[in-house]
């Protein structure tokens, strides 16, 4: 017997659960809050997410990661000035009062909070950091070839520098909320793109 068919959109349900995880964090998000946000009952939930809350969270991280990367890489690809786009992306992190897809802080927070506790989350966030590093490196290499930037640093290392900056600023934002200080830190790190 195959069981009852699903009558809800899993991607949409995961996106709704992501909002709860972003607001509450993994540990404090209750099953009732998640089910309410997703608009499904316990039976449907455990049919779709056999691993329970942990499987839902991992799916949330993976779906958010894919969405963030697609949006970021797509916007970068159509940008008239990819280097300026990268600078503006980073500088926008100083003013971010909330977590959204454009900035990816949900992923940064997951990396900081849970990657050492959960191998699957660590793997997902590490894959994202590597994809970002590769994207940054390709952009830097092209900008060096065209003379848009004068830095002669290895594009691979600049890519790692930028992915480390993206990751690190999420940690710093937990201790320092001043947009001015955060912007100064970011500007100092972004001088490598001049």
């Amino acid at each position: 017997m195959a069981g009852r068919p699903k009558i809800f959109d899993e991607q949409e349900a995961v996106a709704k659960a992501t909002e709860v995880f972003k607001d509450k964090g993994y540990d404090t998000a209750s099953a009732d809050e998640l089910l309410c946000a997703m608009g499904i009952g316990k039976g449907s939930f455990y049919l779709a997410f056999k691993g329970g809350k942990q499987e839902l969270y991992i799916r949330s991280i993976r779906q958010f990661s894919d969405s963030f990367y697609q949006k970021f890489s797509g916007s970068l690809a159509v940008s008239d000035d990819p280097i300026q786009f990268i600078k503006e992306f980073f500088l926008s992190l100083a003013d971010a009062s909330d977590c959204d897809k454009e900035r990816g802080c949900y992923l940064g927070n997951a990396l900081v909070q849970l990657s050492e506790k959960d191998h699957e989350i660590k793997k997902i966030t590490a894959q994202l950091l590597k994809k970002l590093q590769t994207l940054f490196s390709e952009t830097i290499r092209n900008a060096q070839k065209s003379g848009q930037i004068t830095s002669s640093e290895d594009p691979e290392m600049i890519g790692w520098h930028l992915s480390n900056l993206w990751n690190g600023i999420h940690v710093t934002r937990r201790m320092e909320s001043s947009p001015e200080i955060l912007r100064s830190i970011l500007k100092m790190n972004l001088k490598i793109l001049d």
Side-chain angles (χ1 to χ4, degrees), residues 24 37 44 47 69 83 108 110 120 148 163 173 178 183:
K24 300 274 187 174
S44 295
L47 185 63
Y69 182 78
I83 296 299
E120 189 64 22
Q148 185 181 5
S163 61
R173 285 186 67 211
S178 164
R183 198 173 299 107

Side-chain angles (χ1 to χ4, degrees), residues 3-37:
R4 293 188 319 202
K6 280 184 271 184
I7 54 171
F8 67 94
D9 181 323
E10 273 189 41
Q11 262 193 317
E12 187 179 315
V14 170
K16 289 176 180 176
T18 297
E19 294 306 310
V20 176
F21 286 131
K22 280 174 21 181
D23 291 342
K24 300 274 187 174
Y26 174 77
D27 291 329
T28 56
S30 73
D32 287 341
E33 289 170 318
L34 291 164
L35 292 173
C36 182

